[in-house]
Amino acid sequence: MSTMEKELRVGMVGYAFMGAAHSQAWRTVNRVYDLPARARMSVICGRDESKVAEAATRLGWEAYTTDWRELITRDDVDVIDVCTPGDSHAEIAIAALEAGKHVLCEKPLANSVEEARAMVAAAVQAQTAGVRSMCGFNYRRVPAVALMRQLIESGRLGVVRHVRAAYLQDWIVDPQFPLVWRLQRDKAGSGALGDIGAHIIDLTQFVTGQQITGVSGLTETFVKERPLPSAAAGLAALADGSATGPVTVDDAALFLARLDGGAVGTYEATRFATGRKNAVRVEINGSLGSVAFDFERMNELEFYDASAPGTEQGFTRILVTESDHPYMSAWWPPGHIIGYEHTFTHEMRDFLDAVGSGADPTPSFVDALQVQLVMDAVTRSAEQGSAWTEVAPALAEVAA
Ligand code: SOE
């Protein structure tokens, strides 16, 4: 480590899918990017001691603990990385910020606007002492998505008129898929809306630079009762023979939107798009051109330039693997494509670059509160027969 580099000792809470994705990124980031700070994988935290001990070895952490409250007090930890289900984001992140730790919190920021507001307040207070915070919207870090933002920001699309976004999955189409935490409101806050709708709300606001100001929403739960996960099922079956439980979140959320730069939007987040595994699809139409993206072809961006000669017009396929494309200088020669896990390495790059430079990383907790406010408006609209529902800007709340 050069003398210029700061060492940031990371404590990560959680070791499931996001814990594994973040661990891969912490292991890799300082080996592929030159940054003002170096991450040290100090401690991983989880409730089950045998599982977190195994995860520490498998994922490359120096130590483990089963007590996050002890973790945030340790003098040998500088950063808390929150990779838990949404029902513990606020409690852990606020306590860590108050203990003077930089915080990276997985999306969505919280399970409610109230929790998100409290997290923003803690982040704003901590910032006065140079303590930084970021919400982990990794799809901003897909090189093709970052290129989309560059093209729009540089005016290549002209005036943005249409935002069209869908996040399509199908992992719970089978009614026998068990009632996991993502299907329980008290754990996840919402269903497809918060889990995957949050991504396309953040992504489209990021690439267009516009914020959603109003929505008309519709949600649906197609399968309303599911088998309990094996452990719980065993107990329930013994108790009263009912080894099933109610799904308390949306399976699909759709909404219309207006954005503050004049664009109109259509959004769809569903876990019932049979055959679509992780299709984050975005198309932006402007007065001078369009861009279109599908995460299932994440190294490609379709670009339509209306200023091209009529005889040459058509969507071109940009292979986003040149070294001067966003993030790509760290990787391989052109055409040697990258994957989902690289977006987390890019996320840690941006986090370490900011924190190591004494700057605030983005997206901030305020940016994430904005996403939370949109989702809350979609839910309220859906409860009121898809009534048009305004979205107050998060920044106004913070400034107030
Ligand atoms: C499940 O829908 C999930 O793992 C999301 O929680 C992630 O944010 C997304 O990147 C992949 O799908």
Side-chain angles (χ1 to χ4, degrees):
M1 182 169 73
S2 74
T3 52
M4 289 297 291
E5 275 182 337
K6 293 177 189 161
E7 180 177 77
L8 289 174
R9 297 156 298 182
V10 182
M12 183 177 76
V13 189
Y15 50 77
F17 181 5
M18 284 302 117
H22 283 219
S23 299
Q24 175 283 139
W26 291 123
R27 289 196 303 271
T28 312
V29 62
N30 288 112
R31 289 170 169 77
V32 294
Y33 290 107
D34 293 328
L35 296 167
R38 171 170 293 277
R40 179 171 175 176
M41 298 173 69
S42 298
V43 190
I44 186 171
C45 178
R47 283 171 297 196
D48 182 311
E49 179 159 13
S50 63
K51 289 180 180 175
V52 73
E54 184 277 333
T57 305
R58 174 166 45 86
L59 300 176
W61 293 84
E62 293 175 10
Y64 65 86
T65 179
T66 57
D67 182 353
W68 68 262
R69 289 176 179 81
E70 177 265 337
L71 177 67
I72 63 169
T73 65
R74 290 175 59 149
D75 293 338
D76 60 349
V77 169
D78 309 300
V79 175
I80 295 295
D81 182 6
V82 184
C83 291
T84 58
D87 62 339
S88 56
H89 285 189
E91 186 181 20
I92 297 172
I94 291 170
L97 288 164
E98 289 173 349
K101 311 299 184 188
H102 306 295
V103 170
L104 169 58
C105 183
E106 258 299 323
K107 48 50 65 181
L109 186 66
N111 280 1
S112 70
V113 167
E114 291 66 32
E115 287 180 348
R117 284 185 177 125
M119 296 170 82
V120 165
V124 168
Q125 180 59 40
Q127 186 191 36
T128 61
V131 176
R132 311 296 174 181
S133 48
M134 181 172 119
C135 187
F137 283 105
N138 63 301
Y139 288 107
R140 289 179 171 221
R141 273 87 188 192
V142 175
V145 170
L147 178 61
M148 192 186 275
R149 176 184 168 93
Q150 289 178 351
L151 288 169
I152 293 169
E153 207 167 39
S154 66
R156 294 295 301 275
L157 268 61
V159 177
V160 171
R161 298 200 169 116
H162 280 286
V163 175
R164 196 168 298 112
Y167 196 149
L168 311 175
Q169 293 182 340
D170 72 354
W171 56 282
I172 55 170
V173 166
D174 179 354
Q176 290 309 307
F177 190 95
L179 193 71
V180 295
W181 70 264
R182 279 187 167 90
L183 307 181
Q184 302 171 37
R185 180 174 299 280
D186 62 335
K187 303 257 189 340
S190 64
L193 179 59
D195 185 27
I196 52 180
H199 277 302
I200 51 178
I201 293 166
D202 176 71
L203 190 160
T204 51
Q205 294 186 139
F206 171 65
V207 299
T208 62
Q210 299 190 32
Q211 291 199 333
I212 293 173
T213 58
V215 297
S216 168
L218 178 151
T219 59
E220 181 56 62
T221 303
F222 298 112
V223 174
K224 301 187 184 343
E225 193 84 10
R226 288 185 179 270
L228 293 179
S230 52
L235 293 174
L238 282 176
D240 61 6
S242 66
T244 64
V247 174
T248 51
V249 297
D250 55 284
D251 288 331
L254 300 81
F255 62 95
L256 302 176
R258 287 191 179 281
L259 291 90
D260 61 3
V264 293
T266 55
Y267 291 79
E268 179 184 1
T270 181
R271 293 161 165 163
F272 278 73
T274 309
R276 300 300 178 196
K277 301 306 173 183
N278 199 50
V280 185
R281 294 180 167 182
V282 177
E283 179 163 323
I284 310 291
N285 305 132
S287 57
L288 300 180
S290 294
V291 283
F293 170 76
D294 181 345
F295 183 73
E296 290 186 351
R297 295 198 314 276
M298 73 167 274
N299 289 272
E300 301 173 15
L301 183 65
E302 290 186 28
F303 175 45
Y304 183 90
D305 181 354
S307 67
T311 52
E312 298 169 20
Q313 284 190 358
F315 274 91
T316 56
R317 166 180 165 267
I318 302 172
L319 187 55
V320 190
T321 56
E322 299 298 319
S323 61
D324 48 6
H325 278 137
Y327 301 105
M328 292 308 289
S329 60
W331 302 111
W332 322 120
H336 296 68
I337 61 176
I338 64 171
Y340 175 71
E341 74 279 11
H342 292 77
T343 68
F344 290 93
T345 303
H346 302 163
E347 181 177 310
M348 299 331 169
R349 178 220 166 276
D350 294 345
F351 181 82
L352 291 174
D353 188 47
V355 175
S357 312
D360 291 315
T362 58
S364 67
F365 279 15
V366 175
D367 297 324
L369 169 61
Q370 171 67 29
V371 173
Q372 214 75 42
L373 289 164
V374 172
M375 298 192 298
D376 180 64
V378 171
T379 301
R380 286 185 288 115
S381 171
E383 289 165 351
Q384 296 160 25
S386 302
W388 188 259
T389 304
E390 298 297 328
V391 179
L395 218 47
E397 290 206 359
V398 174

